[in-house]
Each structure stands twice: as C-alpha cells, then as structure tokens.
Amino acid sequence: MADYDLAIIGGGLNGASLARDAAGRGLRVILIEQGDLASAASAAGPPLIHGDPALLERRRWWRVRTQLAERERWIVNAPHLVRPMRFAVPLHPKERPPSLLRAGLMFYDRLASPTALPLSQTVDVTHHPIGNPLQRPFGIAFEYSDAVVDATRLVVANAVDAAERGAVIMTGARCVRADRGDAWRLAVIDRGHRRLISARALANTTGAWAQTVNETILRQPPLPRQLRPLQASQMLLPRLFDTDNVYVFQHRDGRLIFASPYERDFSLVGSVTHAFTGDPAIVAMPARDITYFCEALARYLRAPVHPTDVVRTLSGVNLAQNVKGVPRDGVLLFDPGRRRAPLITMLGGEITTARRRAERAVSLLTPFYPMSPRWTATARLPGGDFAWDRFDTEVDIARERWRFLSEREAQRLVGAYGSRLAQVLGEAKNRDELGQAFGPELTEAEVRYLMTKEWARFPEDILWRRTKLGLTMQPSDRDALAVFMGGVA
Ligand SMILES: Cc1cc2nc3c(=O)[nH]c(=O)nc-3n(C[C@H](O)[C@H](O)[C@H](O)COP(=O)(O)OP(=O)(O)OC[C@H]3O[C@@H](n4cnc5c(N)ncnc54)[C@H](O)[C@@H]3O)c2cc1C
C-alpha cells in the first residue's frame, strides 16, 4: 500500500490549499516544499481579495461574480487575514470617463451576493479625507468595497489546517525524482537525507518550476506551450496617506495601480506584470518598473515619490496563459493516468479563487478514492472563529486579557493569529513572561510558536512571511533572533 493518497510538490498558495482540501476530505496527504511556505510567487501578487473590476471592461461577468462569491467566503472564514476595505478611484480627467466608471461600479455591486459591505458611492474629495494626499485638481472619487489579505499568512493558515487534519507538511525538502507506476515513488532530499515516499496520486504545484519539474523530475510530456513565465512586482514605500483606503490609480496606458496601507507605517504599490526569462529563483524588480509606479503616483499624489524612497520590492514568477488577451485564472490540468497513478498540475491564478481551484482539483480524484464531500466553502481557517465585523472587538478583548499589549501590538497579533492568540501568548501576565525580546514587538513566545506550529526554521521565515517585522527590526535584534533560532533548531 502507498504511504499517502496524495503527494503535493510545492508549498505556495496552490499547494497549501490543495493539501487543506484533500486532508479535510479524508485523504492521507504529504506536502513537500523545497524552501519555506509562500516563499515564491504566492508572496508576489497583489494581496487583494476582490472581483477584479478591470475584468468588467472585458465582459468577463461570470468570472467577476465567482470572484465576488469567493470574496464573501474569505471575509467570513478568515476575518483575521482578510479585511474589507474601501477602495478609492480618484477621477482623472484624461482617463476612463466618470459615467463608465460609475456604471461599472454599480454593476459590480449588483454582481456581489447580498453582503453587509457598503455599496459604491461618489465622494467629493475636496471635503473628504480621501482627498488629503491628492493633488488639487481632483474633485471627485468613486469609492467601492473590496478586501485585502495577508497572502503569506493565508498560505501558512491553509498548511496549519491541513496538518491539523492529518497532512504531513515538509519544508526544506526538495523532490528530486518521481517515478510513475501504479503509484508514484518519490525521492526527496530532506535536510541532507534522501527519503523515499510513495503516493497514489501526485500534484505538481511548483509554480514557475512546474515545466522543469514536469519534464526532468516527473519525466512527463511537456505542459502546454501556451504557458509562459510571467513576473509580477510590487514595491513598498513609507506610508503615502493616512486613511485606511486602498487607492486605485489609472495610469496613462489604462492599467490600474493599487496603493494599499501595509503594516501601518508603509504603503504597498502594485502590481505590474511582464514576460520573464531566466531562473525563477533569481528574480528582481527591474528599475523601469519602479519608475513606472513613481510616474503613476506622480499623476495623483501631492508629495512626489522617488525611486530612492522604495523600502523593499517584491517580485515573483509563475506560469500563466492568456486567452484573447485576458489572463486565465490559473492552470488546472488532470492526467488520470490510464492504469498508472494520476497527476494533477495546478499553478498560478488569483488568491481570491484559490480555495475553489483546490476544491475542483481534489474533486478530480473522486473516481479514484472514496472521500467525503466538498467542505471548505463554509469552514473557518485556523484563528478565524469570530464574526468578520468584530475585528476591533477581538483587539479590545486581547488587550483586556493581556494588559501589557499596546493597541498596535494587539492589532498585529490579532491580525496574524486571530482567535488562536492564546496559543501564542498563553497565560502571560507581563512582557517578561514571554521570554527574550527581539526588538519591541517580537518575543520568544511567538518565535517558539512559529517554530513548533508553523514550520519557521530561519529568521527570514519569521521576519518576512509569518510576520512582516523585518520591515522595522534592527540588525542587532535580527542577529539575536538568528542566534536564538539556531539554538532551538
Ligand atoms: C505574474 C504573477 C501574476 C499574479 N497575478 C495575480 C493576480 O492578478 N491576482 C492574485 O490574486 N494573485 C496574483 N498572483 C499571485 C498568485 O497568488 C500566485 O500566483 C499564487 O499564489 C499561486 O502560486 P503557486 O502556488 O502556483 O506557486 P508558488 O507560490 O511559486 O509556489 C511554488 C512552490 O514550489 C516550490 N518548488 C519548486 N520546485 C520544487 C521541488 N522540486 N520540490 C519541492 N518544492 C518545489 C517552490 O519553492 C515554491 O515555493 C500573481 C503572481 C504572479 C507571479
């Protein structure tokens, strides 16, 4: 008998979502990730849970409707990680006409299932905080509702749920060979040791590596030639505006650029995509993309933004396919095998629809195994056991229970761990009981939690993916964290 029902190679959003869905349906699952969870494309796309309004212009109404239905599910099922926001589109005299935008957003409201999110509206920005960072000529903006997400924590939360439902999650483990027979037999290098694993089905969720993995490790026929590597990039700047809005700026070429609040003191500006050649492990944002964003911002904001203001850039590569000029929402291929073990290939796509993509992928295996029905549409992610409109109440409750937490700390911790915060902070009565401090915000208790429950192995895993504290942490605190983690591992 094979060791597992399903082996998944690749721990991005697609791999983790697949692991969660399959484990919850009773399959024995193993996920194999060569680096850290969410360390590649899953950290590089726009962190939005939305029905892309740009798709309305291309008459992809059904797709937008599906996205909006998934948006509602995320808001309810992951209220700590997915936060509704008001998006503001300042009207630019040289861009889309106001009547078109207004009609589009009204249609957008109607495509959403009945929701408690406020409808779109027209705002006179000369008397509204939205107007504060904007240049004077801007008089009107449209406001509508959508949501932002902590994408890397979403991947980790999926993996945590999968593990709690029995899945084995291996990070720092690289699949180097897979032989296909009546089962898949995988060779995995796990921290220097070669391990052999067998599984009744295999999923290739290796994103930008999928073509290479398919041909050289799985030795299968090539993936469709229409799949092309695409690079997405975003940049972080010191906070551009005070309001809790996501701004949507229209650039000269018609592209929509998002600028969203990020970790209180920063703004995330993105995203731009273009064709990529080279090694996906070595990807950097080109200087011309930074200039492109700065130009877009200069058309709207009062304060100039210079390339030298950029604090950090985020880039990743995935394979994508365009159909009539519109990017497909991810790739899902299924090879049932004909007397050999099945193979799923799943990569790319929007964060918003990842749950649904995984559900469809696992359902493809129903002829092969007995499994329980679809379940993720109504299941909370770990930490999501509170009502979506009670985030601030959860923060108040946390400050009541752990009185030493500042408002800022409580916001961050509830945003990361939600209703599971007690697993991180325990019964601590004061800061000292949380152990060694690594700067003002990170404590030994949190680091230990992340190492034992969320597969963090190196400081980078904590500073950039489990948290974003790398943005503010001092080098001496980083060094202390590295020493501490080296001692625990
Ligand atoms: C160009 C681009 C455009 C995007 N556009 C959007 C968008 O419009 N909207 C949106 O919501 N999101 C967008 N995103 C982000 C989107 O969320 C991601 O594409 C998505 O998270 C899916 O990533 P993935 O799981 O397919 O791949 P990844 O996150 O890249 O995960 C693949 C993983 O496989 C691992 N791996 C590779 N080879 C091996 C091996 N041999 N053994 C073990 N592990 C291996 C890698 O280390 C990597 O972690 C975009 C991303 C990109 C790059």
Side-chain angles (χ1 to χ4, degrees):
M1 190 173 116
D3 304 329
Y4 297 96
D5 295 320
L6 176 63
I8 301 167
I9 315 175
L13 183 58
N14 281 315
S17 307
L18 200 54
R20 176 185 185 230
D21 191 298
R25 292 209 221 176
L27 302 191
R28 296 167 305 143
V29 176
I30 184 164
L31 182 144
I32 300 150
E33 164 55 47
Q34 64 185 0
D36 185 23
L37 297 168
S39 52
S42 299
L48 305 175
I49 296 285
H50 68 156
D52 186 352
L55 286 173
L56 290 180
E57 291 176 333
R58 290 156 174 200
R59 298 171 183 258
R60 296 296 199 274
W61 296 314
W62 182 252
R63 190 159 146 193
V64 175
R65 196 187 180 101
T66 306
Q67 291 169 333
L68 291 173
E70 288 301 304
R71 180 188 79 180
E72 306 312 308
R73 293 192 172 110
W74 284 124
I75 289 172
V76 171
N77 294 333
H80 49 326
L81 306 175
V82 177
R83 312 281 289 285
M85 288 231 176
R86 293 295 275 168
F87 284 49
V89 194
L91 274 185
H92 196 288
K94 293 189 181 149
E95 299 306 334
R96 291 166 180 84
S99 55
L100 182 74
L101 275 173
R102 184 80 199 106
L105 290 176
M106 282 169 74
F107 188 41
Y108 193 68
D109 287 336
R110 293 194 62 177
L111 284 176
S113 45
T115 167
L117 297 187
L119 298 175
S120 59
Q121 63 172 10
T122 309
V123 180
D124 172 1
V125 296
T126 55
H127 295 93
H128 194 283
I130 283 178
N132 293 350
L134 299 177
Q135 290 164 18
R136 269 295 145 246
F138 291 99
I140 298 283
F142 291 128
E143 232 196 1
Y144 67 97
S145 294
D146 253 330
V148 295
V149 62
D150 185 332
T152 51
R153 286 213 58 79
L154 189 69
V155 176
V156 173
N158 271 282
V160 168
D161 205 11
E164 290 178 357
R165 294 171 194 276
V168 174
I169 309 290
M170 288 171 81
T171 60
R174 181 171 157 77
C175 178
V176 291
R177 187 180 170 106
D179 295 319
R180 190 176 193 181
D182 55 347
W184 284 95
R185 286 177 178 77
L186 283 73
V188 175
I189 305 295
D190 177 13
R191 295 162 211 206
H193 300 284
R194 190 177 174 91
R195 284 185 53 181
L196 298 177
I197 292 164
S198 61
R200 293 172 68 192
L202 182 72
N204 175 1
T205 57
T206 54
W209 291 265
Q211 189 74 271
T212 319
V213 166
N214 191 62
E215 286 182 44
T216 61
I217 296 178
L218 313 185
R219 282 158 293 122
Q220 298 302 306
L223 299 177
R225 274 190 302 129
Q226 298 89 325
L227 290 177
R228 300 255 184 249
L230 262 191
Q231 170 175 353
S233 298
Q234 308 178 81
M235 65 186 199
L236 277 172
L237 294 160
R239 187 81 180 232
L240 296 170
F241 38 82
D242 295 332
T243 60
D244 253 348
N245 292 96
V246 177
Y247 285 82
V248 184
F249 299 130
Q250 307 175 75
H251 208 351
R252 273 195 201 91
D253 56 8
R255 266 201 246 191
L256 301 179
I257 310 286
F258 295 90
S260 60
Y262 192 86
E263 300 293 310
R264 199 177 281 240
D265 296 330
F266 300 89
S267 292
L268 181 69
V269 178
S271 70
V272 64
T273 56
H274 47 73
F276 176 83
T277 48
D279 180 351
I282 310 166
V283 50
M285 184 169 181
R288 67 171 186 278
D289 287 353
I290 295 179
T291 312
Y292 176 84
F293 282 144
C294 290
E295 282 169 8
L297 297 173
R299 302 181 82 209
Y300 289 86
L301 300 181
R302 271 197 239 182
V305 176
H306 304 289
T308 46
D309 298 333
V310 174
V311 175
R312 186 175 167 83
T313 60
L314 305 168
S315 282
V317 181
N318 215 327
L319 300 182
Q321 184 179 356
N322 275 353
V323 179
K324 293 184 187 152
V326 182
R328 224 181 234 283
D329 182 17
V331 174
L332 176 55
L333 304 170
F334 184 55
D335 171 3
R338 293 209 189 97
R339 296 208 204 98
R340 294 185 308 157
L343 171 64
I344 293 171
T345 305
M346 180 171 139
L347 39 113
E350 290 149 7
I351 300 174
T352 311
T353 46
R355 183 209 66 81
R356 193 167 176 271
R357 211 161 31 251
E359 186 178 73
R360 285 176 50 212
V362 177
S363 299
L364 293 169
L365 295 174
T366 40
F368 299 86
Y369 320 114
M371 65 173 84
S372 44
R374 298 164 185 232
W375 63 282
T376 53
T378 52
R380 305 284 176 124
L381 275 157
D385 298 310
F386 60 92
W388 67 270
D389 53 356
R390 285 176 57 87
F391 184 87
D392 292 339
T393 315
E394 284 294 303
V395 171
D396 292 343
I397 293 170
R399 292 195 71 198
E400 224 10 71
R401 179 162 177 192
W402 296 283
R403 289 180 174 271
F404 53 89
L405 291 181
S406 67
E407 171 85 22
R408 183 190 171 105
E409 281 172 299
Q411 293 256 3
R412 178 183 79 78
L413 290 166
V414 172
Y417 307 105
S419 52
R420 293 196 165 186
L421 187 51
Q423 292 190 20
V424 182
L425 300 182
E427 297 303 324
K429 298 277 179 298
N430 55 54
R431 231 168 258 283
D432 289 345
E433 290 182 23
L434 296 175
Q436 187 177 348
F438 307 96
E441 293 216 44
L442 187 65
T443 61
E444 181 179 331
E446 189 173 355
V447 173
R448 283 189 186 278
Y449 174 84
L450 293 173
M451 292 182 76
T452 52
K453 304 283 190 208
E454 295 194 1
W455 306 278
R457 295 181 301 143
F458 302 110
E460 297 281 295
D461 303 347
I462 291 182
L463 297 180
W464 298 113
R465 291 179 282 275
R466 308 304 182 285
T467 76
K468 308 292 178 293
L469 291 172
L471 284 167
T472 47
M473 188 174 273
Q474 297 302 315
S476 55
D477 294 320
R478 274 169 212 238
D479 293 346
L481 177 63
V483 170
F484 176 80
M485 291 180 77
V488 173

